[in-house]
Amino acid sequence: PGTDAFRGIVLLGVTGFEADLLALLDALPEGSTELMVHPGRNDPSVVGWDTYIAERAVELAALLSAPVRERLGRGDIVLTRFGAA
């Protein structure tokens, strides 16, 4: 069990998350790839244990954006849950 590749660490905290994510998706290797992202809401209540907060909201917005949804809709990438890899 597991994936053939792991990607996403280079996306942590980048200014152009959406553009970098799209470039990463275009460059995925053949086979299965775990894509690490940390989308979420800008929730100040978690500041005490996690400083990666504003970035989570940026990631969520990018993952829900029209360009990313369009890219994923091309059919050459199949999304699955982690346990099914």
Side-chain angles (χ1 to χ4, degrees):
T3 59
D4 300 320
F6 177 85
R7 300 289 187 272
I9 211 85
V10 299
L11 297 174
L12 284 174
V14 298
T15 304
F17 181 86
E18 183 178 308
D20 288 358
L21 174 62
L22 288 166
L24 187 148
L25 293 174
D26 284 339
L28 286 176
E30 291 290 322
S32 61
T33 299
E34 176 184 349
L35 175 61
M36 181 191 73
V37 291
H38 294 91
R41 307 253 183 251
N42 192 347
D43 183 353
S45 70
V46 298
V47 169
W49 57 272
D50 188 356
T51 59
Y52 196 77
I53 296 175
E55 296 88 346
R56 290 180 187 274
V58 169
E59 291 187 20
L60 179 61
L63 290 167
L64 297 173
S65 73
V68 171
R69 290 169 55 126
E70 178 184 306
R71 176 60 190 90
L72 293 173
R74 288 186 197 165
D76 60 331
I77 296 173
V78 176
L79 300 178
T80 187
R81 61 185 179 80
F82 182 75

